[in-house]
Amino acid sequence: MQLGESGDWYEIPSFQVFDWHRLTPLTWALLTRQTPQPGGQKRTTAFLLRKLMTVSNGGGLEESSFVKPQECAQKPEHTTGLIQRLLEKQKTPVLQEKFVSSLLDMGFSDVHVNELLSIQPGTHPQQMLDIISELILLGLNPEPVCVALKKSPQLLKLPVMQMKKRSSYLRKLGLGEGKLKRVLYCCPDVFTMRQRDIEGIVGVLKEKCLFTVKQVTEILHRCPYVLREDPGELEYKFQYAYFRMGVKHVDIVKTDLLQYPVTKIKQRHVFLERLGRYQTPDKKGQTQVPNPLLKDILRVSEAEFLARTAVSSAEEFEVFKKLFAREEEESEGCVADEESPDEEEEGQKEEQEL
Amino acid sequence: MAALLVRGVRDMLKRADFATVPRRQRHKKKWASTEPKFPATRLALQNFDMTYSVQFGDLWPSIRVSLLSEQKEPEPENSQTAAPSHVSWACSPNLRCFTFTRGDVSRFPPARLGSLGLMDYYLMDAASLLPVLALGLQPGDTVLDLCAAPGGKTLALLQTGCCRNLAANDLSTSRTSRLQRVLHSYVPQDVRDKNRVRVTSWDGRKWGELEGDTYDRVLVDVPCTTDRHSLHEEENNIFQRSRKKERQMLPMLQVQLLAAGLLATKPGGHVVYSTCSLSHLQNEYVVQGAIELLDNQYSIKVHVEDLTHFRKLFMNTFSFFPSCQVGELVIPNLMANFGPMYFCKMCRMT
């Protein structure tokens, strides 16, 4: 905890456990100074100090991170974490009011405010405010902010600096102005991910796949799951679509092709190709049969794909998938050698002519 | 797919497993094309797309996807599997065949050398067995296999145990030596001698003159465009541009071979003509052409036998094309990826 710039009350920095012994005398000093009356209050003070000691010997850091002077004397002794309760009361009425009013100013409703307060009760309001502000500044509306934070409360724990840095990077990628909503929903780790992982994906899209900056933004916005993919696999997926299927950049973006698992793309594509219903366009971009629309291949359900696009049965597709999976496995295993050992055995060659 | 177990005269076929030979692995495609622009396999596919889309109409896509997908192949040797659920079918005496149920893509393990120093089974496309079965050998028959190499069907013929004499011929000497090796590996010496198996490398078209009116049963499994094979193997592919003339002459060659086979049959004897192609031109047209030729040039009457009953026996295992003018055609289907295999049984009347 840092000395808050906006805080109007005094905080004691938190220490590692081994530093606690240094704090104790100070606390003791504070307490004794505060003790207004002798006698009855002495007992309170003593009890309080005993509590502090117990905490320091093995209690959690949270509980011992700081002590609010006047709170110590006023609070009744409650065995289950006196310090913890003290900590909860860190939100002085003044600060809490400020927090709530800031939120309301930003457009949050009362309901929202309550929700937010209940997400991670231990979080410092200033921290929460900073995080929430960043999200608002990125163009998210209050409702999506609540949804996102509820879904991924760990966001509230992020250091604000990291949050700011990541926000500006996302803005640079074109993901401000509300585009972030979908990304955050699908890929909440977009703030917690390592910078270089995001850069890896963006790098693949820009340098390897040669998408324009605008197209990259579009892809990240519409298919946020790409952020979770392995860069190598993402590149392979693109190459498959571009070279093997003959789909151009514009269409890859328009049809959200990159969001589909590569297995599904390959299965459906090769099935259609072998049926004779899909052809890779030649150099001039022409095919002998009109290829079905990509959305009729990938976006539709399997049942509809089979009924309308492939005009084949579910049984056949199931068998095909198995055979194809095996072919894929074997082509990966086969490095350079063309002949399998089985073929050396007598009488097993050229079985087509018998 | 059928594999034959050959152990000895007394210990005839105990078990036959179906599987195909593992075809050569294709090398990996590269993004940039460094292969020949129009490999023969692609020419084959183009040819098939043109002719078979017309011939089969709506059925063609499902045949096409089956041809282009691998057939059920043997598993790697070291894997252990539970006994496959199989369908066994009744065949000629001594011939028992096994296949996996429809839609099952399991594989048979490859054959191994058995205790007698012979391979324990021979893996082949199950549909290849059908012409042999259709021929319906009876004990004591003299049999001719006019285009025998590489020998799978020859083995099956021997396997029935019905052959008094078996003459196996193939024009190509390299292929007949293959045939010899196959027989050597699978058939015990005494069987080979006892059945009096004779292997020759003569021109099949001459058989009418060589051994006219000789045989009870004749199998004419002619050279054809080997449709499935031609889609996968580049080597020696008949769709290479250099073999165009040869390919165009095939139907004529096939008619001549069938005619020779018919001439070599005794009156009252039976002939089965078979190919592994889907093409009308190599199948029904050839049968009709040969029958006509025998009628016109030799005044020999040949009658086509109806195989409906036979087909019904195997309807659950194979997919048959419903509209053959003569003969039967097994078409590949993903659920039962056998064939293509065309066969037609004839009886020489005079």
Side-chain angles (χ1 to χ4, degrees):
Chain A
M1 287 251 237
Q2 293 158 349
L3 290 171
E5 300 143 333
S6 50
D8 55 355
W9 42 280
Y10 173 72
E11 307 163 27
I12 295 174
S14 63
F15 292 94
Q16 301 291 320
V17 175
F18 52 81
D19 274 332
W20 175 242
H21 68 278
R22 276 195 241 139
L23 182 58
T24 317
L26 179 60
T27 318
W28 167 257
L30 277 170
L31 284 171
T32 46
R33 223 182 297 132
Q34 292 297 322
T35 316
Q37 292 138 31
Q41 285 295 0
K42 266 194 199 132
R43 206 185 306 147
T44 315
T45 315
F47 186 90
L48 214 57
L49 278 172
R50 230 177 292 135
K51 274 282 155 219
L52 280 170
M53 298 300 206
T54 357
V55 167
S56 79
N57 284 337
L61 279 177
E62 286 286 296
E63 291 152 356
S64 53
S65 58
F66 74 98
V67 174
K68 185 83 192 66
Q70 54 255 53
E71 298 294 289
C72 286
Q74 280 164 22
K75 283 294 115 204
E77 313 76 23
H78 189 355
T79 36
T80 55
L82 173 66
I83 305 302
Q84 196 168 10
R85 287 193 59 209
L86 288 177
L87 204 67
E88 281 174 24
K89 282 296 172 179
Q90 67 185 278
K91 308 166 195 155
T92 57
V94 178
L95 184 67
Q96 186 149 17
E97 231 178 73
K98 188 180 175 219
F99 177 67
V100 170
S101 71
S102 304
L103 288 180
L104 292 172
D105 282 342
M106 286 190 243
F108 289 90
S109 70
D110 290 326
V111 177
H112 288 150
V113 172
N114 280 331
E115 274 181 11
L116 288 171
L117 284 175
S118 65
I119 292 176
Q120 284 230 315
T123 321
H124 191 293
Q126 188 54 45
Q127 164 84 357
M128 280 188 69
L129 208 55
D130 288 337
I131 302 289
I132 293 171
S133 310
E134 282 306 317
L135 293 174
I136 296 286
L137 284 169
L138 279 165
L140 279 177
N141 285 331
E143 174 71 33
V145 171
C146 286
V147 170
L149 288 175
K150 267 206 303 215
K151 196 169 174 224
S152 326
Q154 67 273 19
L155 281 174
L156 288 170
K157 290 223 184 99
L158 273 182
V160 179
M161 273 321 294
Q162 177 177 344
M163 187 75 183
K164 284 193 197 278
K165 262 172 69 180
R166 184 54 56 85
S167 303
S168 89
Y169 180 59
L170 291 174
R171 238 179 243 114
K172 213 176 75 163
L173 287 175
L175 288 176
E177 320 306 320
K179 287 211 169 131
L180 196 57
K181 170 175 156 196
R182 190 177 143 76
V183 180
L184 201 55
Y185 186 74
C186 299
C187 184
D189 11 343
V190 75
F191 283 101
T192 50
M193 279 174 76
R194 292 191 305 184
Q195 178 74 4
R196 70 162 176 263
D197 288 341
I198 304 189
E199 282 173 357
I201 297 293
V202 173
V204 163
L205 291 172
K206 273 214 245 172
E207 278 120 51
K208 300 268 175 72
C209 307
L210 302 179
F211 284 107
T212 65
V213 171
K214 245 182 145 189
Q215 285 172 332
V216 173
T217 306
E218 212 34 42
I219 291 171
L220 291 177
H221 171 221
R222 289 157 68 137
C223 315
Y225 290 109
V226 299
L227 286 169
R228 290 185 163 173
E229 282 199 48
D230 169 76
E233 284 174 15
L234 184 63
E235 189 183 347
Y236 177 80
K237 198 192 297 191
F238 165 79
Q239 287 182 328
Y240 189 85
Y242 188 75
F243 293 103
R244 185 78 176 77
M245 294 175 69
V247 186
K248 299 293 165 214
H249 286 90
V250 177
D251 294 315
I252 294 181
V253 178
K254 228 170 38 163
T255 58
D256 298 334
L257 189 145
L258 293 175
Q259 74 173 305
Y260 303 106
V262 71
T263 314
K264 172 174 167 180
I265 298 174
K266 282 171 95 163
Q267 275 173 350
R268 293 197 183 184
H269 164 247
V270 178
F271 191 56
L272 286 178
E273 192 182 55
R274 291 191 188 171
L275 283 169
R277 301 204 197 279
Y278 188 100
Q279 250 183 12
T280 306
D282 63 13
K283 279 207 193 115
K284 297 185 191 155
Q286 294 167 334
T287 54
Q288 276 167 348
V289 290
N291 283 349
L293 296 173
L294 275 175
K295 71 170 170 75
D296 288 333
I297 304 177
L298 294 173
R299 187 161 351 162
V300 296
S301 69
E302 189 167 289
E304 208 182 320
F305 165 73
L306 289 169
R308 274 204 322 172
T309 320
V311 192
S312 178
S313 72
E315 283 180 316
E316 284 177 86
F317 193 43
E318 281 312 304
V319 174
F320 170 77
K321 282 196 256 190
K322 287 189 223 164
L323 290 174
F324 186 61
R326 199 158 64 191
E327 280 176 37
E328 291 278 281
E329 231 177 73
E330 282 170 357
S331 74
E332 268 171 48
C334 150
V335 179
D337 196 3
E338 288 214 352
E339 299 239 336
S340 70
D342 297 328
E343 295 212 287
E344 309 301 16
E345 285 183 345
E346 282 292 324
Q348 290 195 9
K349 290 191 183 156
E350 292 173 26
E351 280 319 304
Q352 284 309 313
E353 308 191 55
L354 293 162
Chain B
M1 298 155 215
L4 310 175
L5 182 73
V6 182
R7 284 213 184 270
V9 181
R10 289 178 211 95
D11 202 2
M12 285 309 219
L13 194 67
K14 293 272 190 259
R15 171 181 65 100
D17 296 309
F18 289 90
T20 43
V21 169
R23 57 174 167 73
R24 290 202 183 88
Q25 299 280 358
R26 266 178 292 211
H27 56 86
K28 257 189 166 148
K29 282 191 189 160
K30 305 184 180 87
W31 298 121
S33 168
T34 54
E35 296 156 0
K37 280 215 167 126
F38 280 98
T41 48
R42 178 111 92 96
L43 292 172
L45 185 58
Q46 276 179 0
N47 179 292
F48 296 161
D49 274 332
M50 267 195 319
T51 43
Y52 298 152
S53 56
V54 174
Q55 201 177 304
F56 293 101
D58 288 337
L59 268 182
W60 172 233
S62 71
I63 299 176
R64 191 185 195 275
V65 65
S66 309
L67 282 174
L68 288 171
S69 304
E70 55 152 90
Q71 276 188 298
K72 303 175 190 184
E73 286 193 28
E75 268 168 338
E77 280 173 64
N78 51 9
S79 71
Q80 309 280 318
T81 47
S85 64
H86 51 250
V87 174
S88 87
W89 14 298
C91 307
S92 283
N94 298 319
L95 223 56
R96 266 174 70 219
C97 323
F98 288 82
T99 178
F100 288 107
T101 46
R102 286 176 88 93
D104 186 334
V105 301
S106 313
R107 293 166 157 179
F108 286 99
R112 285 198 189 77
L113 224 47
S115 54
L116 293 174
L118 300 169
M119 302 297 279
D120 56 359
Y121 51 77
Y122 189 84
L123 303 176
M124 51 198 262
D125 183 332
S128 306
L129 208 59
L130 291 175
V132 174
L133 297 174
L135 194 51
L137 266 66
Q138 300 302 313
D141 276 342
T142 46
V143 183
L144 168 65
D145 187 352
L146 202 54
C147 313
K153 295 192 181 76
T154 322
L155 269 185
L157 288 169
L158 274 177
Q159 202 51 55
T160 62
C162 297
C163 307
R164 180 147 43 103
N165 292 305
L166 174 64
N169 178 71
D170 201 274
L171 180 62
S172 148
T173 40
S174 66
R175 283 153 61 80
T176 18
S177 59
R178 266 274 308 274
L179 174 59
Q180 291 272 30
R181 288 202 306 275
V182 164
L183 291 178
H184 229 91
S185 303
Y186 285 87
V187 185
Q189 180 80 32
D190 55 346
V191 175
R192 271 185 279 142
D193 290 343
K194 182 172 174 165
N195 280 332
R196 277 168 290 183
V197 179
R198 183 192 74 193
V199 178
T200 49
S201 281
W202 305 328
D203 185 348
R205 295 173 290 185
K206 305 236 165 64
W207 233 266
E209 301 139 32
L210 288 172
E211 290 186 315
D213 307 344
T214 309
Y215 293 95
D216 296 311
R217 312 268 167 177
V218 177
L219 178 63
V220 185
D221 182 35
V222 293
C224 60
T225 47
T226 58
D227 291 3
R228 190 186 285 271
H229 189 84
S230 299
L231 286 175
H232 296 281
E233 288 302 326
E234 195 56 34
E235 211 177 294
N236 274 334
N237 194 311
I238 199 167
F239 286 90
Q240 284 168 2
R241 293 188 208 275
S242 53
R243 293 180 77 182
K244 186 168 178 190
K245 194 78 182 286
E246 186 188 337
R247 183 166 49 84
Q248 286 170 336
M249 302 282 275
L250 265 180
M252 190 168 88
L253 169 65
Q254 291 163 337
V255 168
Q256 288 171 336
L257 284 167
L258 179 53
L262 284 163
L263 288 172
T265 319
K266 289 178 188 162
H270 299 265
V271 175
V272 165
Y273 171 78
S274 70
T275 71
C276 50
S277 168
L278 291 164
S279 163
H280 279 332
L281 292 176
Q282 295 172 54
N283 298 339
E284 290 120 301
Y285 285 36
V286 167
V287 170
Q288 286 160 344
I291 294 180
E292 221 177 274
L293 195 157
L294 251 68
D295 192 20
N296 294 341
Q297 275 195 17
Y298 299 86
S299 304
I300 292 177
K301 298 283 178 230
V302 175
H303 169 71
V304 172
E305 282 191 28
D306 179 44
L307 288 172
T308 314
H309 175 69
F310 182 82
R311 184 180 74 226
K312 285 196 176 139
L313 287 179
F314 299 103
M315 251 166 46
N316 290 330
T317 314
F318 301 103
S319 263
F320 287 93
F321 182 55
S323 334
C324 286
Q325 286 180 348
V326 284
E328 301 295 338
L329 176 62
V330 172
I331 48 178
N333 180 277
L334 278 175
M335 304 303 295
N337 205 354
F338 306 107
M341 182 64 54
Y342 172 81
F343 55 100
C344 180
K345 187 174 184 184
M346 291 154 269
C347 179
R348 180 170 161 178
M349 307 302 283
T350 54

